[in-house]
Amino acid sequence: MSTTTTSTTGGVQVVQPTVGSHLTNYWQRVRGGDIGSLAAILGLVVLFLIFGVARPDTFLSALNFSNLFSQGASVIFIAMGLVFVLLLGEIDLSAGYTSGTCGAVMAVLLTNHGWSWYTAIPAALVTGLVIGFMIGFLVSKIGIPSFVVTLAAFLAFQGVLLVLLGGGTNISIHDPFVLALANKNMSVAMSWILAVVAVAGYAAAQLIKVRGRVSRGLVHDPIGIVFLRVAGLAVLVFAGVAILTQERAINPAINSLKGVPIVVPLIAVAAIIWTFVLGRTTYGRHVYAVGGNTEAARRAGIPTDRIRISVFVICSFMAAIGGIIAASRASSVDPRSGGSNVLLYAVAAAVIGGTSLFGGKGRVIDAVLGGAVIAVIDNGMGLMNFSSGTKFIFTGLVLLAAASVDALSRRRAAATGNR
């Protein structure tokens, strides 16, 4: 295994890995139980191959590819928030109905009270923040287990939703801005501009990271690995945009459908922000510390109660965004909003993506990858005319497999000393 040796400013010799040694080290980490999101990525590849072969004319069409984003967006937003809660080894069973309640607040204000979108949407988001604070306070300050608190909230918010909707009526949404969030597309030109900016921004971030570590005399990823990451992202992004900028309408003369769905950059921005928060801020390090060992974190001076409250606030805030997106896609809110399989799919998305149910391990990108797996399963099995029961069974088995991989990888990591 070849390596390159460099010197720090203090004269200390630092061994820099080559591409080969970096890949070897990665494989050793995988064998040691640190698989990250690898299982979700492999699962996506397998699912695309299965459904692509079974339904090549429909599943692999540009129209269906676009539908995957709108179908999975709400679950992905909720799952992003759940990642923060799961990192502490907690759970939020109310996230689904929190999303429905916040969506109902927005719909009632828009339709029944004539509010504009720029006041109704913030009101829904504030509702999510208040709900999260209440749950977090009860869990951290009163000491009630999160399972009990959020189960109570799960039941209560079903009632709140019914009260907001006047006993079960359906409230339609007609605001163009809100409807555009999940149903409209960017222009073809803007889609390509966004793609170029995204790839260039990622490349710049990677190079700045390497340069910063070099200037401090620290070990950094090989330039070849950085190039492969950027090239891989560029291929995925540009291929996706090339597909989404095709004409997808059945009758283009009446209603042309071209461009990246607006919800895609919304997901990307949320993922980037929360990834930065978890990976590059003191707060993020505190979240991982509390999730890894609460008592050790407390003795180190970390305000564990505040951290615990904050993750529930973030979770409910993201649930509110998910509720807004769901209401936009359905163009309405009803008593079932946030119910049914929403919570199950959101939790499954986070876990399937690689976030541990035992706390201390997970990333925001896990929610995106897991949400993609859920959307592909739901979409593909729907195109193959499988019943809802079959889809639930298959999704449950996938979730069980993901949880099993997590448990086995933790056991493997403990056995190899990589915990």
Side-chain angles (χ1 to χ4, degrees):
M1 181 175 65
S2 60
T3 55
T4 302
T5 303
T6 62
S7 299
T8 66
T9 55
V12 179
Q13 296 295 315
V14 178
V15 179
Q16 298 290 358
T18 62
V19 172
S21 64
H22 181 90
L23 294 176
T24 300
N25 291 336
Y26 173 74
W27 176 243
Q28 290 175 346
R29 292 198 304 272
V30 170
R31 293 185 61 187
D34 184 13
I35 63 173
S37 301
L38 182 59
I41 294 172
L42 294 177
L44 270 177
V45 173
V46 172
L47 289 170
F48 262 93
L49 289 175
I50 293 174
F51 294 132
V53 171
R55 291 289 186 272
D57 295 335
T58 52
F59 182 78
L60 297 179
S61 67
L63 178 60
N64 190 61
F65 186 58
S66 174
N67 288 338
L68 285 173
F69 290 104
S70 59
Q71 281 183 245
S74 177
V75 167
I76 289 174
F77 279 113
I78 299 172
M80 285 186 193
L82 282 168
V83 166
F84 283 82
V85 173
L86 293 174
L87 280 173
L88 265 61
E90 304 285 359
I91 190 65
D92 187 351
L93 300 176
S94 67
Y97 274 111
T98 294
S99 71
T101 298
C102 294
V105 168
M106 178 191 69
V108 169
L109 294 176
L110 284 172
T111 304
N112 295 354
H113 298 280
W115 287 31
S116 57
W117 68 264
Y118 50 81
T119 51
I121 290 180
L125 297 177
V126 170
T127 301
L129 292 174
V130 172
I131 291 172
F133 179 81
M134 291 170 54
I135 294 174
F137 182 86
L138 292 172
V139 172
S140 63
K141 296 298 186 180
I142 307 301
I144 307 174
S146 59
F147 180 88
V148 177
V149 174
T150 56
L151 178 60
F154 171 87
L155 298 171
F157 289 136
Q158 293 184 59
V160 171
L161 188 58
L162 287 172
V163 171
L164 287 172
L165 299 179
T169 59
N170 183 302
I171 297 182
S172 299
I173 297 174
H174 305 287
D175 186 277
F177 180 87
V178 174
L179 294 178
L181 294 177
N183 299 298
K184 297 297 183 179
N185 309 299
M186 298 184 295
S187 66
V188 172
M190 185 57 66
S191 298
W192 282 110
I193 291 173
L194 180 66
V196 172
V197 170
V199 173
Y202 179 75
Q206 289 289 307
L207 293 175
I208 290 173
K209 180 181 178 180
V210 170
R211 182 177 179 181
R213 296 186 69 85
V214 169
S215 66
R216 296 192 297 271
L218 302 175
V219 175
H220 60 82
D221 292 337
I223 295 299
I225 292 295
V226 174
F227 173 79
L228 288 175
R229 288 173 182 163
V230 175
L233 179 68
V235 170
L236 290 175
V237 170
F238 292 148
V241 172
I243 294 172
L244 292 172
T245 50
Q246 297 178 17
E247 181 59 69
R248 306 191 295 271
I250 298 176
N251 191 344
I254 298 177
N255 182 29
S256 179
L257 289 176
K258 290 182 179 180
V260 174
I262 292 175
V263 75
V264 173
L266 295 180
I267 293 174
V269 168
I272 291 170
I273 291 174
W274 292 124
T275 297
F276 177 82
V277 168
L278 276 179
R280 302 300 295 273
T281 66
T282 300
Y283 171 77
R285 290 190 290 272
H286 286 177
V287 170
Y288 282 111
V290 175
N293 190 319
T294 302
E295 182 59 24
R298 186 188 65 80
R299 294 187 178 187
I302 296 175
T304 56
D305 285 351
R306 294 180 186 175
I307 295 296
R308 185 165 280 106
I309 292 174
S310 69
V311 297
F312 283 102
V313 170
I314 292 172
C315 182
S316 294
F317 176 77
M318 294 305 294
I321 296 178
I324 292 169
I325 297 299
S328 171
R329 182 169 184 262
S331 304
S332 64
V333 174
D334 60 51
R336 297 173 297 175
S337 297
S340 185
N341 55 12
V342 173
L343 173 67
L344 302 178
Y345 276 4
V347 174
V351 176
I352 290 172
T355 298
S356 176
L357 286 167
F358 304 98
K361 188 181 77 171
R363 301 173 301 167
V364 175
I365 191 62
D366 296 343
V368 179
L369 293 173
V373 171
I374 295 295
V376 169
I377 291 174
D378 191 54
N379 179 276
M381 297 191 79
L383 292 176
M384 295 178 68
N385 296 320
F386 283 104
S387 66
S388 297
T390 303
K391 288 193 287 185
F392 278 129
I393 291 172
F394 188 77
T395 305
L397 292 175
V398 172
L399 174 58
L400 181 61
S404 300
V405 169
D406 177 34
L408 292 174
S409 65
R410 290 176 67 89
R411 181 182 300 178
R412 178 64 177 171
T416 57
N418 293 325
R419 177 177 297 208

